[in-house]
Amino acid sequence: MIALSSIALDPASGLRRESPRPPELRNAAYDAGFDWDTLFYDCYRAGRYVVLQGPPFLNLLPALQASAPLKPSWFGGLRYVVRNKRGEIWCRHDGDMLTLSGPVGTYQLTIQPDQASLFAGRRVIHTLSKDNAPRWIRDWLQFYHAEHGADAALVYDNGSRLYSAADLQTELRAAFPAMVIHVVSWPFRYGPQGGLAGAVNGVEAPWDSDFCQTGSMAHARLRFLRDAKSVLNVDIDELVLSDKGRSIFEATEATRHGFIKFPGQWISGASPDPIDHEPCRHADFTHRALAETRECPPKWCVVPARHDPFGTSWSVHNLFGSRHNRAIDSEFSYRHMTAISNSWKENRGIAGQFDPADYREDPALVAAFARAGLASHN
């Protein structure tokens, strides 16, 4: 399994991360969800550099910059990255250990290896997941392997309680022996929600405190995926299709800028046949509501080597910092499967009533399921 060199702030230091959200805008769930004390998610090599990576440093930055050996004047090539929910320190260091000492506290970190070679030249699907049913993750892998030619997967497990990251990795590797598959245990707080889920007195909250997923993407990009041929960022409940039958990986690699952003469409939780949520599969759901009002923010595929890791940031729905991140490609879209969810954010269970007059079947999705050999649970 992949090892992380993580650090939580020592209470004796008297420090903790200050929230970027004013107290009057925090709902009752905010304090329990915010990451007050993770200093670094990991410490690892990335090419010539050692990267100490964590949530945004915010008020912790002065204490870090006054600590040995992270004073800007002490290390040649020392660089701080503080942007887009990222906190990184890049430095040069030849040893296997790094000792941090000063106002931030005293810590010894093992420098984890650069593992970009694991995915070099691969077409990788990447996601963050928690307690998703293994059968859903297997269907997701099978779809992208068959439909788009994915030959690798990097899954970040955000503290699942139903299985361990090691057990999930073993199961997925056994099911897909031809693919390179790694599951990284990423047990950090996801962070408080924005929008209506984080609302106070009906006022939507900003998306300013959810650091975990952005952190996992930065970690994946820098430690593992720098040399990947291309990377597709999608959730377990999202299946990408092309109007022209093309692979999203091939299409992205053929673009001038190595980046494609595409929209999504909801696939309803309703089905013509009665279905229990417990055994349901992706292929149980092939219909769209005629009067769908929910929006699907875009997702993306990227060629990592064509984008500067200092100037651009991978985010859930965009490549921040890129001059080419505004265009939406109409050839590709993802099907967002309502019922393939454990409803961690909102109730997305299976609808109890199906009226054919309110839905239409998605023939492209039906055909894709057939090509991938994905069947309903019945």
Side-chain angles (χ1 to χ4, degrees):
M1 289 295 296
I2 302 296
L4 305 180
S5 289
S6 305
I7 288 181
L9 284 163
D10 184 349
S13 70
L15 295 173
R16 74 171 190 166
R17 179 175 289 100
E18 292 179 358
S19 166
R21 191 178 302 179
E24 64 272 16
L25 298 182
R26 305 176 198 168
N27 64 12
Y30 186 92
D31 283 5
F34 186 72
D35 194 337
W36 303 97
D37 56 7
T38 299
L39 182 58
F40 298 125
Y41 296 131
D42 196 9
C43 172
Y44 53 89
R45 295 197 178 279
R48 299 176 298 163
Y49 292 91
V50 170
V51 181
L52 295 94
Q53 184 209 334
F57 299 131
L58 302 175
N59 61 297
L60 303 175
L61 185 59
L64 280 167
Q65 292 179 324
S67 296
L70 303 180
K71 294 182 180 180
S73 60
W74 286 25
F75 258 127
L78 185 71
R79 185 166 187 172
Y80 281 80
V81 176
V82 184
R83 56 172 294 168
N84 301 124
K85 302 179 186 178
R86 291 168 61 185
E88 295 155 25
I89 305 170
W90 293 61
C91 61
R92 304 284 183 86
H93 184 67
D94 295 331
D96 297 326
M97 302 288 296
L98 187 65
T99 301
L100 179 63
S101 180
V104 77
T106 300
Y107 312 92
Q108 277 222 328
L109 297 102
T110 298
I111 300 173
Q112 299 296 334
D114 183 340
Q115 294 182 290
S117 62
L118 294 176
F119 295 94
R122 297 280 180 171
R123 290 170 170 164
V124 186
I125 45 176
H126 166 262
T127 198
L128 179 76
S129 173
K130 179 176 182 177
D131 284 329
N132 280 299
R135 69 183 183 278
W136 294 343
I137 302 175
R138 292 194 304 270
D139 284 356
W140 180 77
L141 284 167
Q142 185 171 334
F143 176 88
Y144 282 108
H145 180 62
E147 187 71 8
H148 293 279
D151 57 7
L154 181 57
V155 177
Y156 279 67
D157 185 86
N158 187 211
S160 290
R161 296 159 296 178
L162 303 179
Y163 46 76
S164 69
D167 287 345
L168 178 61
Q169 178 174 283
T170 298
E171 178 174 341
L172 298 180
R173 286 181 174 180
F176 300 92
M179 296 183 72
V180 172
I181 297 174
H182 287 274
V183 178
V184 178
S185 178
W186 196 256
F188 308 102
R189 292 178 182 175
Y190 186 85
Q193 295 290 288
L196 287 175
V200 174
N201 297 325
V203 179
E204 292 192 24
W207 288 93
D208 59 359
S209 303
D210 53 322
F211 307 140
C212 173
Q213 189 163 10
T214 298
S216 71
M217 287 189 285
H219 187 263
R221 178 187 191 180
L222 299 175
R223 185 170 170 187
F224 299 111
L225 301 178
R226 300 192 317 277
D227 299 328
K229 195 169 187 179
S230 51
V231 177
L232 175 65
N233 172 57
V234 283
D235 294 336
I236 301 300
D237 60 349
E238 297 170 348
L239 304 178
V240 177
L241 290 176
S242 163
D243 290 344
K244 300 177 181 178
R246 291 200 298 166
S247 160
I248 183 63
F249 298 106
E250 291 181 3
T252 303
E253 292 155 16
T255 63
R256 179 179 178 186
H257 304 296
F259 180 70
I260 289 179
K261 185 168 70 171
F262 47 85
Q265 305 165 353
W266 283 98
I267 296 297
S268 175
S271 170
D273 303 310
I275 293 174
D276 293 329
H277 191 259
E278 183 60 31
C280 76
R281 310 288 287 266
H282 287 71
D284 286 317
F285 307 101
T286 57
H287 287 71
R288 284 193 242 162
L290 292 173
E292 182 62 76
T293 58
R294 296 171 297 174
E295 294 184 1
C296 286
K299 287 298 180 76
W300 49 263
C301 188
V302 70
V303 177
R306 298 192 203 167
H307 298 271
D308 172 24
F310 294 113
T312 60
S313 297
W314 290 6
S315 184
V316 178
H317 301 295
N318 213 342
L319 177 64
F320 287 133
S322 171
R323 293 178 298 151
H324 314 291
N325 64 5
R326 295 189 178 183
I328 300 289
D329 191 304
S330 60
E331 175 189 341
F332 294 93
S333 65
Y334 69 93
R335 305 311 197 256
H336 202 165
M337 315 295 292
T338 301
I340 304 303
S341 170
N342 50 34
S343 297
W344 68 274
K345 184 188 296 187
E346 59 187 353
N347 183 10
R348 282 173 46 182
I350 296 171
Q353 183 71 31
F354 181 85
D355 185 343
D358 295 331
Y359 299 87
R360 66 176 183 274
E361 190 172 65
D362 187 327
L365 183 60
V366 173
F369 283 145
R371 289 192 298 269
L374 291 174
S376 68
H377 79 281
N378 294 319

